[in-house]
Amino acid sequence: MDTQILVIEDDEAVRQTLKDVLELQGYQVTTAMNGGEGLQKLKEMASKPCLVLLDLMMPNVNGWQFLDGQRNDPQLNNIPVIICSAYTESAKAVNPAAVIEKPVQLQHLLWTVKTLSA
Amino acid sequence: MKPVRVLVVDDRIENITAMQAVLADCGYEVFEAESGKQALLLAEQHDFAVILLDVQMPIMDGFETARRLREMERSRCTPIVFVTAIHRTEAYEELGYIAGAVDFLFKPFNPTILQAKVAVFAELRRKTEAMRQHTELLHAAALKEQENAMLKESLARRDEFLSIASHELKTPITPLNLQVQSFLQMVRSGTLNNLPPERLERMLVTSQNQIDRLARLVDELIDISRLKSDRLELKRAPASLKALVQGVIEQFAPEFKKNGCEVTLQTDGEGFGVMDSFRIEQIIINLLLNAVKYGNGCPITVRLRDDGRQAQLSVEDGGIGIAEDDLQRIFQRFERAVSAKNYGGLGLGLFICSRIAELHGGRISVTSKLGEGSTFTLHLPLKEEALLHSQFI
Ligand SMILES: Nc1ncnc2c1ncn2[C@@H]1O[C@H](COP(=O)(O)OP(=O)(O)O)[C@@H](O)[C@H]1O
Ligand SMILES: [Mg+2]
């Protein structure tokens, strides 16, 4: 499987673990530490990822600002975004493809990722 | 509504009886005094709508009684009507007005005039009383509203705190959850053996780090309640600040590396003193982790200076910095200078640390420039002051 996922998450441990568990399932994972880095990587990637896993609360460019940038870019706005946050209400409010609530359940994560990347 | 009270003062009982007879039908509560002294006593105990005061009385005459009534708090503004048999002369009346009269009534009095005059003051009294009650009600309502607003605000604050606290707890639980569940899955499917040992170790170290993070959060919450009830006690023993800093830097080296922060230590002295090592370590950890968190991945410099009496331990970062206006505020409980859309945090760390520093007879100071970085410095007395504090606390 060469399914690419972009994980944007500021917390190093959460970011690394998401990468680990997704890689164990055979996904290719690119990571970014905040919305700014995420947007830049997304623009630069030759083949776009099939999914973005996005945290909301992040330094510099946060998740909301990332979404603004992504949704205004016709090259990027069709990539589904999963919000991964402890603030479920805020996550739902941005109208994402799916919400994964922290603390994340592995089965829920894998099921959601699989469904949206199919 | 309370009945309107009228005080009749006359040294001759038959005059009092006559007035009472005239006023009885009007629904007033009529009090009687047979001397100026008795009038003063009554005026001290009750609020009267009007005082009908005989001018010619032995010992204390009406004018003198009126003067004293005006000096007393309760009767300062009570209307006084002088009752006199002497025929009106202007000079005499003027004297009465100076003594505090508002009106005169001449004996032998006409019952209708007496009733009419008292009625005016009774009405005035009722209106003032109604007004006073109204104002009191308004005041109570305003007070109640203010209380409600304060209650609402503290409830909102509590809700906000709980929401932030649960976010703070959920973040470290996320890697823990994912790792434990992947291990379980691998064990159950018999694939754990495929996991390279380095990877297994890395995952377990991450788990351990998350447990430490959770423990620090819980400790922070416990410290807050200890500080609130003055139950945070120091356990002092001789220690070296330099050794403590070195230990912390070593312990968190992987953490610094993962966040791209290089930490260098410059020491000028050992910082030997009497201190609660665990608590001082807590301050160092807090300042360093803040420097990482708000440091934008820039290098961090830790400096220790020791002049024999006092040590200064500063943590300097090149991160987001703090606006001038926020420099004081951030040391208070729950106060934060960053948006909750960018950084998580309970806003308790600096509050707890500065209280611990104060318990040691020291303090924490800060210099910063927005966008350029911050330097937090722990000032810790090592000798006399430290000993003084350890004796008395
Ligand atoms: N090194 C730093 N650089 C910039 N801002 C800082 C730094 N340390 C603390 N602050 C500011 O002080 C506030 C209070 O800090 P603290 O009490 O440790 O709570 P928390 O980090 O949980 O918010 C922070 O929210 C941040 O605004
Ligand atoms: Mg975050």
Side-chain angles (χ1 to χ4, degrees), chain B residues 168 220 286-287 290-295 317 319-322 330-332 335-338 344-351 368 373-374 376:
Chain B
E168 289 303 288
E220 234 173 49
N286 244 295
L287 295 183
N290 270 350
V292 173
K293 180 169 163 187
Y294 303 110
D317 67 61
I320 61 171
I322 302 155
I330 54 172
F331 289 96
Q332 284 160 27
E335 292 291 345
R336 313 190 63 221
V338 284
L346 299 177
L348 295 176
L350 286 178
F351 171 73
S368 181
S374 317
F376 284 84

Coordinates of all heavy atoms in Angstrom, one line a residue, chain B residues 168 220 286-287 290-295 317 319-322 330-332 335-338 344-351 368 373-374 376, ligand 1:
Chain B
E168 N -5.5 19.1 28.8 CA -4.1 18.8 29.2 C -3.9 17.4 29.6 O -2.8 16.8 29.4 CB -3.8 19.8 30.4 CG -3.6 21.2 30.0 CD -2.6 21.4 28.9 OE1 -1.4 21.2 29.2 OE2 -2.9 21.6 27.8
E220 N 0.8 19.3 40.0 CA 0.5 20.8 39.9 C -0.9 21.0 40.6 O -1.0 22.0 41.4 CB 0.4 21.2 38.5 CG 1.3 22.3 38.2 CD 1.4 22.7 36.7 OE1 0.4 22.8 36.0 OE2 2.6 22.9 36.2
N286 N 10.1 23.4 35.5 CA 9.1 24.2 35.0 C 9.6 25.3 34.1 O 9.1 25.6 33.0 CB 8.4 24.9 36.2 CG 7.0 24.5 36.3 OD1 6.2 24.8 35.4 ND2 6.6 23.8 37.3
L287 N 10.7 26.0 34.6 CA 11.3 27.1 33.7 C 11.8 26.5 32.4 O 11.6 27.1 31.4 CB 12.4 27.8 34.5 CG 11.9 28.6 35.8 CD1 13.1 29.3 36.4 CD2 10.8 29.6 35.5
N290 N 8.9 25.4 30.1 CA 8.3 26.6 29.5 C 9.2 27.2 28.4 O 8.7 27.6 27.3 CB 8.2 27.7 30.6 CG 6.8 27.6 31.3 OD1 5.9 26.8 30.9 ND2 6.6 28.4 32.3
A291 N 10.5 27.2 28.6 CA 11.4 27.7 27.6 C 11.4 26.8 26.3 O 11.4 27.3 25.2 CB 12.9 27.7 28.1
V292 N 11.1 25.5 26.5 CA 11.0 24.6 25.4 C 9.6 24.9 24.7 O 9.5 25.1 23.5 CB 11.1 23.1 25.8 CG1 10.7 22.2 24.6 CG2 12.4 22.8 26.3
K293 N 8.6 24.9 25.5 CA 7.2 25.1 25.0 C 7.0 26.4 24.3 O 6.4 26.4 23.2 CB 6.3 25.0 26.2 CG 4.8 25.1 25.9 CD 4.1 24.7 27.2 CE 2.6 25.2 27.2 NZ 2.0 24.9 28.5
Y294 N 7.5 27.5 24.8 CA 7.3 28.8 24.2 C 8.6 29.3 23.5 O 8.8 30.4 23.2 CB 6.9 29.8 25.3 CG 5.7 29.4 26.1 CD1 5.8 29.0 27.4 CD2 4.5 29.4 25.4 CE1 4.6 28.6 28.1 CE2 3.3 29.0 26.1 CZ 3.4 28.6 27.4 OH 2.3 28.2 28.1
G295 N 9.5 28.3 23.2 CA 10.9 28.7 22.8 C 11.0 28.6 21.3 O 12.1 28.9 20.7
D317 N 15.6 31.9 26.8 CA 15.2 31.3 25.5 C 15.1 32.4 24.5 O 15.1 33.6 24.8 CB 13.9 30.6 25.7 CG 12.7 31.5 25.9 OD1 12.4 32.3 25.1 OD2 12.0 31.3 27.0
G319 N 12.5 32.5 22.3 CA 11.2 32.2 21.7 C 10.3 33.3 21.5 O 10.7 34.4 21.2
I320 N 9.0 33.1 21.8 CA 7.9 34.0 21.4 C 8.0 35.3 22.3 O 7.4 36.3 21.9 CB 6.5 33.4 21.5 CG1 6.2 32.9 22.9 CG2 6.4 32.2 20.5 CD1 4.8 32.5 23.1
G321 N 8.6 35.2 23.5 CA 8.6 36.4 24.3 C 7.3 36.8 24.9 O 6.3 36.1 24.7
I322 N 7.3 37.8 25.8 CA 6.1 38.2 26.5 C 6.0 39.7 26.4 O 6.9 40.4 26.6 CB 6.2 37.8 28.0 CG1 6.4 36.3 28.1 CG2 5.0 38.2 28.8 CD1 7.1 35.8 29.4
I330 N 1.5 37.0 34.6 CA 1.7 35.6 34.3 C 2.1 34.8 35.6 O 2.0 33.6 35.6 CB 2.7 35.3 33.2 CG1 4.0 36.1 33.5 CG2 2.2 35.8 31.9 CD1 5.1 35.7 32.6
F331 N 2.5 35.5 36.6 CA 2.9 34.9 37.9 C 1.7 34.6 38.7 O 1.8 33.9 39.8 CB 3.9 35.7 38.7 CG 5.2 35.7 38.0 CD1 5.6 36.8 37.2 CD2 6.1 34.7 38.2 CE1 6.8 36.8 36.6 CE2 7.4 34.7 37.6 CZ 7.7 35.8 36.8
Q332 N 0.5 35.0 38.3 CA -0.7 34.8 39.1 C -1.4 33.5 38.6 O -1.2 33.1 37.5 CB -1.6 36.0 39.0 CG -1.1 37.1 39.9 CD -1.7 38.4 39.5 OE1 -2.8 38.5 38.9 NE2 -1.0 39.5 39.7
E335 N -3.2 32.7 35.1 CA -3.0 33.8 34.1 C -2.0 33.3 33.0 O -1.0 32.7 33.3 CB -2.4 35.0 34.8 CG -3.3 35.7 35.7 CD -4.5 36.4 35.0 OE1 -4.3 36.6 33.7 OE2 -5.5 36.8 35.6
R336 N -2.4 33.6 31.8 CA -1.6 33.1 30.6 C -1.5 34.3 29.7 O -2.4 35.1 29.6 CB -2.2 31.9 30.0 CG -2.7 30.9 30.9 CD -3.0 29.6 30.3 NE -1.9 29.0 29.5 CZ -2.0 28.5 28.3 NH1 -3.1 28.4 27.7 NH2 -0.9 28.0 27.8
A337 N -0.4 34.4 28.9 CA -0.3 35.5 28.0 C -0.3 35.0 26.5 O 0.1 35.7 25.6 CB 1.0 36.2 28.2
V338 N -0.8 33.7 26.3 CA -0.9 33.2 25.0 C -2.3 32.7 24.7 O -3.1 32.5 25.6 CB 0.1 32.0 24.8 CG1 1.5 32.4 24.7 CG2 -0.1 31.0 26.0
G344 N -1.6 24.9 24.9 CA -2.3 24.4 26.0 C -1.6 24.8 27.3 O -0.4 25.3 27.2
G345 N -2.2 24.5 28.4 CA -1.5 24.8 29.7 C -2.5 25.3 30.7 O -3.5 26.0 30.4
L346 N -2.2 25.0 32.0 CA -3.1 25.3 33.1 C -2.9 26.7 33.6 O -3.7 27.3 34.3 CB -3.0 24.3 34.2 CG -3.3 22.9 33.9 CD1 -3.0 22.0 35.1 CD2 -4.7 22.7 33.5
G347 N -1.7 27.3 33.3 CA -1.4 28.6 33.8 C -1.1 28.6 35.3 O -1.4 29.6 36.0
L348 N -0.6 27.5 35.8 CA -0.3 27.4 37.2 C 1.1 27.3 37.5 O 1.6 27.6 38.6 CB -1.0 26.1 37.8 CG -2.6 26.1 37.7 CD1 -3.1 24.8 38.2 CD2 -3.1 27.2 38.6
G349 N 1.9 26.9 36.5 CA 3.4 26.6 36.8 C 4.1 27.8 37.4 O 4.7 27.6 38.5
L350 N 4.1 28.9 36.8 CA 4.8 30.1 37.4 C 4.3 30.5 38.7 O 5.1 30.9 39.6 CB 4.8 31.3 36.4 CG 5.6 31.1 35.1 CD1 5.4 32.3 34.2 CD2 7.1 31.0 35.5
F351 N 3.0 30.4 38.9 CA 2.4 30.7 40.2 C 3.0 29.8 41.3 O 3.5 30.3 42.3 CB 0.9 30.6 40.1 CG 0.2 30.7 41.5 CD1 0.1 31.9 42.1 CD2 -0.3 29.6 42.1 CE1 -0.6 32.0 43.3 CE2 -1.0 29.7 43.3 CZ -1.1 30.9 43.9
S368 N 11.8 40.2 29.3 CA 11.4 39.6 28.0 C 11.1 40.7 27.0 O 10.8 41.8 27.3 CB 10.2 38.7 28.2 OG 9.8 38.2 27.0
G373 N 12.3 36.6 22.8 CA 12.7 35.7 23.9 C 12.5 36.2 25.3 O 12.2 37.3 25.5
S374 N 12.7 35.3 26.2 CA 12.5 35.6 27.6 C 13.6 35.0 28.5 O 14.2 34.0 28.1 CB 11.2 35.0 28.1 OG 10.2 35.1 27.2
F376 N 13.9 34.0 32.5 CA 13.3 33.8 33.8 C 14.5 33.5 34.8 O 15.3 32.7 34.5 CB 12.3 32.7 33.9 CG 11.0 33.1 33.3 CD1 10.8 32.9 31.9 CD2 10.0 33.5 34.0 CE1 9.6 33.3 31.3 CE2 8.7 33.9 33.5 CZ 8.6 33.7 32.1
Ligands
LIG1 N1 9.6 31.1 28.4 C1 8.5 31.7 28.1 N2 8.3 32.4 27.0 C2 7.2 33.1 26.7 N3 6.1 33.1 27.5 C3 6.2 32.4 28.7 C4 7.3 31.7 29.0 N4 7.1 31.1 30.2 C5 5.8 31.4 30.6 N5 5.3 32.2 29.7 C6 3.9 32.8 29.7 O1 3.5 32.8 31.0 C7 2.2 32.1 31.1 C8 2.1 31.3 32.4 O2 3.1 30.3 32.5 P1 2.8 29.0 33.4 O3 2.4 29.5 34.7 O4 4.0 28.1 33.3 O5 1.5 28.3 32.7 P2 1.3 27.5 31.4 O6 2.6 27.3 30.7 O7 0.6 26.3 31.8 O8 0.4 28.5 30.6 C9 2.2 31.2 29.9 O9 0.9 30.9 29.5 C10 2.9 32.1 28.9 O10 2.0 33.0 28.3

